Amino acid sequence: MKKKLTLENLFKILANQKRLEILMAVYDNNQTATEVSKIVGLDISTTYRYLKSLKEAGILNSRIVKGIEMFDFSSEEVYKILQYAINFINKLNAEGRFCENLAACEIESRPIVQISGEPDYVLDMRGEMCPVPGLTTQQVLSELEDGKILLVIVDYPLSAERIPNRVEQLGHELIGRTIDNQGNFYIYIKVKKTNTSE
């Protein structure tokens, strides 16, 4: 008999950084254990154990396709919980993260290779781990006007990989991505509202 999920257990599950990374990898349609393990940087055995525990909790489902187990969210509600939590956190920590141009932001260093032109908006997510930068970027993009350029700055390598993939899935244009000598990633995105799935 399947163990009943409680609110306390749900928050314990979501409090684990690797589980969060795995959930976001699955949400981005990287659904096999092998694909997920490559993204989150864990061995296949550990990744599969995490996936199995998330499935047993009812957060993920799986199906067999051509002999390979594929994982997916059991419900969009789990993703919404993460979105609401991150929106709440961002409201509490909003100061200095989002500004209308580079001059208004306190950025200690700049990319080694510059993308031509200045961005219209800057979202500084340094110090935040996945899934906070990705979900915050998605929220900001939904609020910006068509054609505007958003620069997202992250220092978490997994976010630097996830954000460009998610941006293109949502129909926006990835203009470029670069890194500075301190390991900060600079992701330039052009907002496109037409044919964008929110």
Side-chain angles (χ1 to χ4, degrees):
M1 183 176 170
K2 188 173 161 182
K3 188 178 178 182
K4 186 176 178 181
L5 182 66
T6 65
L7 186 62
E8 180 185 4
N9 287 338
L10 175 63
F11 279 109
K12 280 181 182 176
I13 289 167
L14 298 180
N16 179 286
Q17 180 60 34
K18 282 299 175 187
R19 285 195 195 107
L20 285 173
E21 291 173 8
I22 286 168
L23 283 174
M24 297 318 296
V26 169
Y27 188 79
D28 285 343
N29 299 319
N30 300 288
Q31 297 172 315
T32 70
T34 301
E35 288 171 323
V36 172
S37 71
K38 288 176 184 174
I39 291 168
V40 300
L42 290 173
D43 63 83
I44 187 73
S45 175
T46 304
T47 302
Y48 187 74
R49 279 200 312 274
Y50 274 120
L51 287 165
K52 192 173 177 183
S53 70
L54 289 165
K55 181 182 172 183
E56 287 170 357
I59 292 170
L60 295 180
N61 283 332
S62 74
R63 65 189 191 284
I64 304 298
V65 179
K66 296 182 180 177
I68 299 172
E69 190 169 15
M70 308 284 285
F71 292 88
D72 200 358
F73 273 43
S74 62
S75 167
E76 279 287 313
E77 299 302 319
V78 179
Y79 186 71
K80 288 177 184 176
I81 289 168
L82 295 173
Q83 281 185 312
Y84 287 131
I86 288 167
N87 288 344
F88 173 70
I89 291 164
N90 286 337
K91 282 179 184 175
L92 294 178
N93 302 327
E95 190 175 334
R97 286 196 170 179
F98 184 72
C99 46
E100 290 198 19
N101 54 55
L102 276 173
C105 291
E106 295 181 11
I107 299 175
E108 301 83 20
S109 57
R110 297 292 295 275
I112 295 166
V113 178
Q114 293 252 249
I115 306 298
S116 61
E118 293 290 318
D120 298 297
Y121 299 94
V122 180
L123 178 62
D124 188 348
M125 297 303 297
R126 287 174 293 180
E128 294 289 354
M129 293 191 290
C130 180
V132 176
L135 291 180
T136 304
T137 299
Q138 187 174 324
Q139 179 65 35
V140 169
L141 286 170
S142 73
E143 296 170 359
L144 293 181
E145 308 87 5
D146 188 56
K148 295 295 183 182
I149 306 297
L150 173 67
L151 166 60
V152 181
I153 308 171
V154 296
D155 55 6
Y156 194 57
L158 185 58
S159 294
E161 292 298 319
R162 279 198 69 250
I163 290 171
N165 293 337
R166 189 68 181 140
V167 160
E168 291 181 334
Q169 285 174 0
L170 292 169
H172 302 290
E173 181 184 348
L174 178 66
I175 298 173
R177 179 176 54 178
T178 185
I179 188 170
D180 67 18
N181 54 14
Q182 295 178 8
N184 299 312
F185 298 88
Y186 297 74
I187 304 163
Y188 293 79
I189 305 157
K190 185 172 185 178
V191 180
K192 290 196 172 181
K193 294 295 185 181
T194 52
N195 298 322
T196 300
S197 56
E198 299 286 350

